[in-house]
Structures are given as structure tokens and as C-alpha cells.
Amino acid sequence: MLREQISVFDIFKIGIGPSSSHTLGPWRAAQQFTASLCALHLLESVSQVKILLYGSLAKTGHGHGTDIAVMLGLSGADPVTFDVNAVEPTVAAMKNGNGLLLGGERKISFNYTEDLLFLYSESLPFHPNAVTFQAFLDNGKAFSETYYSIGGGFVVKEGDTGAEKEQVDLPFPIEKAGDLLHWCLTTGLKVSEVVMENELAWRSEAETRTGILRHFEVMKDCTYRGCHTGGFLPGGLNVGRRAAALNKRLIGKKEYHDYKSWIEAIRAGGNGFNYTLDWVSCFALAVNEENASFGRVVTAPTNGAAGVIPAVLQYYITFCDGYSEAQIIQFIACASEIGSIFKKGATISAAMGGCQAEIGVSSAMAAAALTECMGGSQRQVMMAAEIAMEHHLGLTCDPIGGLVQIPCIERNTMGAIKAITASQLALQSNPDKAKVSLGAVVNTMWETALDMNSKYKETSDGGLATNIPISLPEC
């Protein structure tokens, strides 16, 4: 039986906001579709393309930028490198009748209202996030593929069995939390060390370290940029950005000119409880305000929860003196394994499990990583992850207006603070006396996801999305 093998770079992906499942996933699906056309030598014969969005992708697609993602993906743009400042003008040109450059090569006409269909009342059985691409050829024939965006930017093509992805020989195969604990206890390795050993099956240690630090640079730049950008978020809710004003108020008259001197200026303010708490919130707000503005972020493990891990990592760097390459790599590597366990045993898709699958998982990842970096044992690391998720169980996903703004942005501050609290509790506890294991909470989270009403799963059909008129100003 094939087992899912997940690398640190599967859990952490560089992309453009606002949603990993509704933006990054469909973007990648569009790229895969054009790759299929190229592989079958059909690209030069395509005269028209239609995109059919189903289920959650249809219901919240406008707010999540799904239409933008598939258009850019079909045109050959890559979310890792595409200029975020070019998103709006590029899409506007396509909507205004300038056509679509399929795969970056084949110019075809494109009608936004007729060729991109939001099928609000239709859903496919495999997953709520489904998209079908149809290519009509010059000879009158058609070619189509259906993809499912299953959370965190992961994409599955209909008909794939998993055998298409090359399996590697991992020294420490892990499916469940118990497997991770087994390897840690039998080898004496930390969680991050187990991850780094497994990563050697894919690439050299130097390549892994370089890749992780590149992801950190994106997190760092996103946090800094978000703390220095004001104004309002796009989408029509008129939500004001708060991180920049909070940063200015907290920093006072201290001068700085770049990220490093900014950190020094923050440290100079001390480490009082309220001061630290405000900064953690500021870091999380900054990232998710960037995410909501189609900025470049790192899925951690999703875009909607992209602020939790950067905020906790920034807390570790700023207030716990964790600013070294080795410490940053340790933090991100440890976090990735916890995310992998939830991906394999439950879900990281809000369309499948509600917000517990996003904020809850990211909080568990951050709690585990912080605990290891603060000297916790392997059991304490897993205990911290369990505590963080235990207190996110049942959290719904009900974005107002289908936008990744309310309550999504503030939830990242809550997830970050819960992660720090969970870490502190684990570090001050004897994990041998814990009543709930990480494995048990993963199973419980999945059972809760299955039982949760579909209107609370990123459809904007219930909860805050239906009880707060979108014409009201932000509270």
C-alpha cells in the first residue's frame, strides 16, 4: 500500500494570497492542465478554454480570488515568482477582452462571464473544492481534466491513484503521531532532526537548509511589509489594515531602517506581558493583511492560517533570542512534521474540516516548534501540539463575504497566542501524566470534521457570514 510522503516543502509553500485551497491550489491545477496540453501536443490546437468551479470553490471563489488564480495559472504565471503588483492589471486586461495567453504561448480569446462558470449549486463527491478545465480544439474535439484542491495548496487530479508520485526510501516513515514518537524515543533524535534525516531522501542537507531559509525570508519580508503598509483591504468590506498603526504605536520614537534594526528597536521596549502580547498580535495581523491583499506569503500550512507560525517564530526571534539560521531551521522543520501528521490523519482543508483544520493545525505546529526550540523533550513537543489543537476543536470556517478577512485575520492572532500558551503549559508539565495524546486529538479533529455541518466549512452559508450584514463597518 502506498503511503503519503510529505516533505517540509509540501507543508510550507511560497505563494500568493488569499487562500491556499481556493487560490494556490486552483492556480497549480491550471498550471498542471496546461502542462497536460503541452505533453499531449494539444496546446497549439486550443481555440477556447472553459473553467467550471464547483462547491466551495464556486461559493467563495470570488472572495478568495479563485477566478484570478485560474486565469493567471492558465496564462503561465507562477505564484512563487509572479509580481504581486501585476496581479490586478494582468487580470483586468484578460477580463476586458485582451484574451488569454494559454501556457504563456497560445493566444486565445477569453470571455470572463461565459468561459468561467461558478456552479454554486453543484458539488463533486470526492472533495468540495473541485475545478474542471475544458479545452476546445480546432478540430472540433475537446479535452478536459478535473482537479481537487484538498487544502494547503495540495492538488489531486481525478483518476490519480497516488502511484504517479515517486516514492522514496525514508529512514523514518511516519503515518501517525505514534510513529513519530517511536522514532524519537528509539533514536534519541529531536522531531526536527527526524525531519532533516527524512529530507535527505529527496535532496542534500544543504539544499534543504537553503530552501527552508528561503521560505523564512518570505515570511520575514511579509511580516515586515505588513507592519508598514496601511490603508484598506480589497474586496468591498472596507476593512482597515491595523498592523501598521499598531507597529507605529508600539515602536514609539525608536528609529530603525530595516528588519534587523526593527527587531532591535522592538527588543528595546522590554518584554512586559502586554507589550509582548501586542507584538505577537501585530506580527500575525501583518501577515494575514498581506495575504488578504494578494501579497506573497508562505502557506503554513494554509494561507488563511499563514500568520500563526510567522508570528510565533517572530516571537521566538525577538523575545527569546532565537535569531540564528540553525534555530530558524529547527523551528520550521519541527513544525512541518506536525502539519504532516494532521494532513495524513485528518485534513488541513477548511472546506473539509472548518477552521480547526487551518488555524488549529497551524497553532499545533507552532506550539510544537516553539517547545522544541525552548528545550522541551520530544514528549513535551507532542504534548504542546495536542494542547493547541484540543482547544481549537470544532472551530468553524464562516468568512464574511467569502473573503479571507473577518474573522480569519484576527483568528491568526488567537492561534498564535494559543500556541505560545500551549508551549508554556507543555514545558511546565509532565507529559507522562497527559490524559490526551496527539494521536487521539488528530482522530477527534477528523471525526469532528466529518460531523460538522457543511455550511460551516468555508461556504459562507452559515455563522458570522450570514449573521453580520456586509454593509456594516468593521467592529
Side-chain angles (χ1 to χ4, degrees):
M1 184 179 98
L2 291 176
R3 293 186 173 185
E4 188 174 16
Q5 297 180 330
I6 299 177
S7 163
V8 61
F9 301 118
D10 293 321
I11 290 295
F12 292 103
K13 303 182 184 73
I14 298 172
I16 293 177
S19 170
S20 51
S21 59
H22 286 60
T23 314
L24 181 59
W27 194 321
R28 290 301 189 197
Q31 288 180 299
Q32 290 187 33
F33 179 65
T34 57
S36 294
L37 292 173
C38 290
L40 296 170
H41 306 289
L42 297 176
L43 187 67
E44 291 303 317
S45 303
V46 177
S47 58
Q48 182 187 17
V49 169
K50 282 186 177 290
I51 307 108
L52 311 179
L53 300 176
Y54 297 90
S56 181
L57 286 188
K59 290 181 178 180
T60 62
H62 284 294
H64 286 67
T66 307
D67 51 343
I68 293 171
V70 293
M71 291 162 68
L72 290 173
L74 289 173
S75 66
D78 189 277
V80 176
T81 58
F82 190 71
D83 181 3
V84 295
N85 296 313
V87 170
E88 186 176 340
T90 302
V91 172
M94 285 188 273
K95 286 184 176 181
N96 291 333
N98 286 17
L100 190 152
L101 193 62
L102 188 63
E105 299 178 19
R106 171 73 168 176
K107 186 66 178 286
I108 61 173
S109 61
F110 182 78
N111 187 305
Y112 178 80
T113 57
E114 296 180 2
D115 296 334
L116 181 52
L117 305 179
F118 292 80
L119 306 176
Y120 300 106
S121 61
E122 297 183 37
S123 186
L124 301 185
F126 178 73
H127 194 280
N129 294 334
V131 54
T132 296
F133 297 98
Q134 299 174 332
F136 298 91
L137 311 179
D138 293 335
N139 60 10
K141 295 183 179 180
F143 173 77
S144 70
E145 287 182 338
T146 295
Y147 292 86
Y148 300 94
S149 180
I150 61 174
F154 288 87
V155 173
V156 175
K157 185 172 74 172
E158 189 168 69
D160 282 358
T161 62
E164 298 80 11
K165 186 175 181 179
E166 181 182 357
Q167 295 274 301
V168 297
D169 187 15
L170 297 176
F172 304 115
I174 298 167
E175 283 295 303
K176 301 178 180 179
D179 299 329
L180 174 60
L181 184 60
H182 165 76
W183 292 123
C184 285
L185 295 183
T186 56
T187 63
L189 295 174
K190 299 175 182 177
V191 173
S192 62
E193 292 171 336
V194 169
V195 171
M196 295 302 286
E197 288 295 319
N198 276 343
E199 293 297 317
L200 290 173
W202 283 291
R203 70 196 74 80
S204 70
E205 181 178 346
E207 289 174 313
T208 298
R209 289 180 176 275
T210 298
I212 290 176
L213 291 174
R214 182 189 179 199
H215 282 61
F216 167 66
E217 286 297 315
V218 175
M219 290 183 186
K220 181 186 76 175
D221 292 345
C222 181
T223 306
Y224 188 79
R225 189 170 58 249
C227 282
H228 296 85
T229 304
F232 291 83
L233 300 176
L237 289 183
N238 295 318
V239 174
R241 296 177 67 138
R242 288 180 283 176
L246 182 54
N247 172 73
K248 186 175 181 179
R249 186 162 60 252
L250 292 172
I251 211 75
K253 295 182 179 180
K254 302 180 190 71
E255 295 185 359
Y256 60 92
H257 58 275
D258 58 10
Y259 174 80
K260 186 175 181 180
S261 58
W262 179 56
I263 295 304
E264 292 171 353
I266 296 172
R267 287 175 176 167
N271 58 1
F273 179 77
N274 287 347
Y275 182 74
T276 304
L277 183 68
D278 284 341
W279 273 116
V280 174
S281 295
C282 186
F283 300 148
L285 289 173
V287 173
N288 282 83
E289 286 172 357
E290 281 295 298
N291 179 64
S293 303
F294 293 93
R296 179 158 285 114
V297 300
V298 176
T299 61
T302 67
N303 282 37
V308 174
I309 287 171
V312 177
L313 178 53
Q314 196 66 54
Y315 160 81
Y316 175 57
I317 289 170
T318 308
F319 297 103
C320 307
D321 200 25
Y323 195 17
S324 74
E325 289 187 354
Q327 290 167 310
I328 290 164
I329 290 169
Q330 179 184 8
F331 189 103
I332 292 176
C334 179
S336 74
E337 190 57 54
I338 302 303
S340 296
I341 288 171
F342 277 101
K343 167 71 169 59
K344 294 170 183 175
T347 181
I348 57 173
S349 167
M352 285 292 287
C355 203
Q356 61 174 353
E358 297 202 23
I359 294 294
V361 173
S362 64
S363 187
M365 292 166 65
L370 181 61
T371 302
E372 181 178 296
C373 288
M374 295 298 288
S377 68
Q378 299 98 323
R379 287 185 182 274
Q380 286 175 320
V381 167
M382 298 178 72
M383 182 182 187
E386 182 279 317
I387 292 171
M389 173 52 77
E390 182 181 339
H391 301 291
H392 280 93
L393 289 173
L395 186 61
T396 60
C397 183
D398 48 0
I400 295 176
L403 296 163
V404 191
Q405 297 180 18
I406 305 173
C408 318
I409 295 174
E410 284 186 356
R411 279 188 180 169
N412 280 262
T413 71
M414 300 296 108
I417 297 302
K418 282 186 180 181
I420 295 171
T421 302
S423 176
Q424 288 294 110
L425 282 172
L427 287 169
Q428 300 301 325
S429 301
N430 181 354
D432 293 335
K433 297 182 179 180
K435 302 298 183 183
V436 183
S437 68
L438 178 56
V441 88
V442 172
N443 293 338
T444 303
M445 183 266 215
W446 181 232
E447 291 169 359
T448 304
L450 295 176
D451 289 340
M452 188 180 289
N453 191 302
S454 62
K455 69 182 181 180
Y456 298 118
K457 297 181 180 181
E458 208 169 7
T459 59
S460 291
D461 288 337
L464 289 175
T466 56
N467 283 295
I468 306 297
I470 62 175
S471 59
L472 289 180
E474 181 190 8
C475 297

